[in-house]
Each structure stands twice: as C-alpha cells, then as structure tokens.
Amino acid sequence: MTAETRTWTGPSAPERLNILHGTESIAIVGASNKPSRASYFVSTYLLSSSPYRVHFVNPVLREIMGRPVYPTLADLPEVPDLVDAFRRHDDLPDVARDAVAVGAKTLWLQLGSWHEEAAGIAEEGGLDVVMDRCVKIEHARFHGGLHLAGFNTGVVSAKRQVLA
C-alpha cells in the first residue's frame, strides 16, 4: 500500500454484512496455489466454511486445490457477485475496470490494500467497494467463527493449556 491520503469512507459493519448476505459467488483475483499466501488461506476458509461459490482467477495457474483457475474475470463460468482482489497496488485500477466490465456487484480489496482510484472506478461503475478488510475475517466475524487469532479453533475449554 502506498502512503496515499485516505479520503474515501467505506461501508459500515451492517453494510458489509448486507454485502456478504447478498453475495452468492466470489472471484478471487490473484489466487495462489501456495499455502503460505493469504489468498490460499482465504480460499480454504471460503470453500470449507461459507456458502459461496468460489472461483479462482490467475493467468499463470491452471488448478488450485483441485479446482479450475481462469485467466481473467471474463473467462469465469458465471458473473461473480464479489471480486476479491489479491493483487499489487498498481494493478488494482485494472481489477476494478475488469470487475465493472463483467458486471460484478462488489469490489473487495484485502487487508493492506487501499486504492482510491480503483474505488472510484468501481463506484462509478455501480459497484459497492470495500477496502483494507478481509472477506474471511468479516464473514467469520458476522457468523460467529472468529477467534482472537482470526480463526475458530473449534475448542471450547476452561482448562489451562499444559505446555511441554
């Protein structure tokens, strides 16, 4: 993220919840097949813990987690409701243009991504915009699956952990 001045105001928590409730399909632009990447972690969560149809977009990969990867948003088998961008800062205006061109409803820029030009392009095209927030964290937050570390451990206990 560059050190640009933040003048854009994003949607409130209830508005973000409404965006997620109105979403049926998500395209992850910049999806990676590397488990250490944030896009992979988010993809894993969305596939296992959300109702969304998830599509991967990356021009150099063919498959992630056994699922097809498409070179562009225009190549997807359906118009995504939400475009979740995991791309470099300078690429975000083009992602916004592509999201508008395919008819997406929302452009979502991940944690650490803030690009007011991209937001303007998307908003002018009629899209909702969310910046500097994680779809996985927001979904978990609104659906009771968020642990302090950002994930649900699945363990409920009052016992003190014994360390070796």
Side-chain angles (χ1 to χ4, degrees):
M1 178 171 65
T2 64
E4 70 181 283
T5 303
R6 293 185 175 198
T7 59
W8 180 86
T9 303
S12 66
E15 290 167 333
R16 292 191 308 276
L17 176 60
N18 285 336
I19 289 170
L20 292 175
H21 279 167
T23 296
E24 294 181 7
S25 61
I26 295 178
I28 299 179
V29 176
S32 175
N33 60 357
K34 296 177 180 152
S36 61
R37 296 281 175 96
S39 65
Y40 190 93
F41 183 71
V42 168
S43 299
T44 301
Y45 171 84
L46 291 175
L47 289 170
S48 68
S49 301
S50 81
Y52 308 123
R53 293 184 303 279
V54 179
H55 302 286
F56 301 128
V57 177
N58 186 317
V60 299
L61 297 175
R62 299 286 172 252
E63 186 178 285
I64 297 174
M65 293 182 261
R67 302 170 65 91
V69 179
Y70 301 89
T72 69
L73 286 171
D75 295 314
L76 293 175
E78 67 176 315
V79 174
D81 292 321
L82 189 150
V83 173
D84 191 10
F86 287 88
R87 295 296 311 272
R88 293 178 332 170
H89 180 80
D90 293 343
D91 295 336
L92 295 174
D94 286 336
V95 174
R97 287 183 195 93
D98 292 346
V100 169
V102 299
K105 295 179 187 174
T106 303
L107 174 65
W108 193 296
L109 305 184
Q110 277 298 315
L111 282 173
S113 291
W114 188 276
H115 202 298
E116 297 207 11
E117 179 188 356
I121 291 166
E123 287 177 334
E124 280 183 27
L127 278 68
D128 290 321
V129 176
V130 177
M131 294 196 287
D132 197 17
R133 295 208 178 256
C134 176
V135 169
K136 179 249 175 274
I137 292 172
E138 292 293 291
H139 181 271
R141 171 182 177 211
F142 294 130
H143 296 89
L146 188 61
H147 178 268
L148 289 175
F151 54 89
N152 186 349
T153 64
V155 176
V156 177
S157 175
K159 291 183 180 180
R160 178 172 288 170
Q161 184 178 5
V162 178
L163 301 174

